[in-house]
Amino acid sequence: MRENSFPVNPELVEEIKAQFFKGYTDGLQNFDREIGSFFFSLAPAEQLKVLVDFMNYCHHHLYFEGFVIPEVLYSLGYIQACLVQSYKTYQNLSKLSVKEITGEPLIEATPVAGPPVLTLQNTVVQTNGIHKIALKYPADEIIKLWQVLLDIHRCKSVAILPFFKTEKEVENLLGELFCASENAGVSLPDREHRYYELSSDYQPILCLLMHATYKLNHPFTRIKLEPYSALLKQSFSAFQGIENVADISGNITKKKDAGIMLLGEIKSSKYAKNALKILAKIKDYRIKA
């Protein structure tokens, strides 16, 4: 046996696992950086090509010679995570298409609730100057989340006047902001955009609902936060005093924390209970269902 060869014992196995999984975790977190910020500005067909090249690159470097070197094991986990995440992203992009890309037909999607039909080219759909965002996360849960607007006026710490009075009104609101793909399960009404006159006291709850929608939808669309923040600016007078969309994005985390506190005041409400159960699925929020 060579001097640098030795049998694998349980302690060494644990060390190998720890290094690999640390790399894997970091790889998942850094995927956006590794794929490159330019990726998200590309047309979907170009995104698919980039993903194929990136997957081939990762696969080429997933080569293990058997040397138990911490840096090597960490790197293998890191590369494996990038490969897995790029494959998932490729699958999600492919399933959105109703057209042929690169000469081969991909999976067709069924039109929902009339035009606009969701395709790979319009994950963000422009209607009348407003960019509706496609929901790939189950739309029924997004609807239940936003229905808390029906009871938010019951909070005692803020003077919020009731505006939305029926579940249908909330669905109509969502139909003005989003469009649901077949993957979302439930369709939304295809509504013309409307501007809502709401006081600035609505900012915390609206920031919470929009940020939560972004967090739930992001793994399926990879759409960044800015388009969601733009919808807040374009749709609600509560944000008219904020000049830049970037400022909304920069403060949305602090505002959503205030929104969570408001839900705590009405946690006995049916709508608040539903919303909190859905918010509990977002790990960053640290909410117990």
Side-chain angles (χ1 to χ4, degrees):
M1 187 175 292
R2 300 200 313 262
E3 291 183 1
N4 62 347
S5 300
F6 48 86
V8 176
N9 55 50
E11 291 77 13
L12 184 57
V13 170
E14 291 303 314
E15 181 182 352
I16 291 172
K17 289 167 57 179
Q19 289 295 331
F20 181 87
F21 285 116
K22 185 178 188 303
Y24 191 91
T25 300
D26 290 348
L28 289 178
Q29 294 177 346
N30 296 333
F31 174 75
D32 287 0
R33 185 182 70 187
E34 296 297 341
I35 198 71
S37 58
F38 75 94
F39 173 81
F40 300 99
S41 64
L42 296 174
E46 292 300 317
Q47 287 181 325
L48 289 175
K49 293 178 182 178
V50 170
L51 287 167
V52 170
D53 291 340
F54 188 69
M55 285 188 284
N56 287 333
Y57 175 83
C58 291
H59 187 267
H60 175 74
H61 287 86
L62 276 176
Y63 179 73
F64 182 46
E65 295 181 326
F67 296 111
V68 185
I69 302 173
E71 291 80 3
V72 172
L73 296 170
Y74 174 90
S75 297
L76 288 174
Y78 192 99
I79 297 170
Q80 180 71 42
C82 289
L83 177 60
V84 170
Q85 189 60 47
S86 57
Y87 177 75
K88 288 181 178 179
T89 304
Y90 183 92
Q91 290 293 96
N92 287 333
L93 278 173
S94 298
K95 290 176 182 178
L96 303 183
S97 180
V98 297
K99 294 185 178 181
E100 291 188 0
I101 296 177
T102 66
E104 295 185 4
L106 297 174
I107 300 173
E108 290 190 354
T110 304
V112 291
V117 176
L118 292 178
T119 70
L120 196 58
Q121 273 68 30
N122 56 6
T123 304
V124 178
V125 182
Q126 184 170 355
T127 57
N128 298 330
I130 299 300
H131 291 80
K132 288 187 178 183
I133 296 174
L135 292 180
K136 313 302 176 190
Y137 186 83
D140 58 336
E141 292 207 359
I142 299 297
I143 293 170
K144 287 181 181 179
L145 175 65
W146 284 71
Q147 282 175 349
V148 77
L149 288 171
L150 298 175
D151 274 350
I152 200 63
H153 64 278
R154 293 172 53 190
C155 294
K156 296 180 180 180
S157 62
V158 288
I160 296 179
L161 296 176
F163 186 91
F164 299 96
K165 298 180 174 63
T166 67
E167 294 180 356
K168 184 61 177 177
E169 288 178 347
V170 175
E171 286 190 37
N172 288 342
L173 165 64
L174 293 176
E176 296 160 17
L177 304 177
F178 307 103
C179 43
S181 73
E182 65 170 5
N183 296 341
V186 176
S187 63
L188 290 173
D190 182 22
R191 301 272 300 182
E192 291 279 337
H193 181 261
R194 173 184 171 185
Y195 189 74
Y196 290 83
E197 295 288 345
L198 301 176
S199 73
S200 59
D201 290 324
Y202 269 89
Q203 278 191 25
I205 190 62
L206 290 173
C207 282
L208 170 62
L209 297 176
M210 192 64 81
H211 187 264
T213 303
Y214 153 72
K215 293 289 285 186
L216 293 168
N217 206 34
H218 184 261
F220 304 94
T221 64
R222 313 303 293 178
I223 299 174
K224 295 188 177 182
L225 178 60
E226 283 68 21
Y228 294 87
S229 300
L231 282 179
L232 291 175
K233 174 73 173 171
Q234 295 163 343
S235 306
F236 305 104
S237 65
F239 298 91
Q240 66 182 359
I242 303 176
E243 185 173 350
N244 298 317
V245 170
D247 293 333
I248 297 177
S249 296
N251 292 317
I252 199 167
T253 299
K254 184 186 298 183
K255 291 285 187 179
K256 63 93 176 167
D257 289 340
I260 292 174
M261 293 180 66
L262 291 179
L263 293 191
E265 295 182 24
I266 56 171
K267 58 185 178 182
S268 61
S269 153
K270 174 184 74 173
Y271 296 117
K273 287 179 179 178
N274 289 337
L276 288 169
K277 285 181 181 178
I278 296 167
L279 294 175
K281 298 179 181 181
I282 304 173
K283 293 182 179 180
D284 295 348
Y285 286 9
R286 298 179 181 177
I287 294 175
K288 294 183 179 180

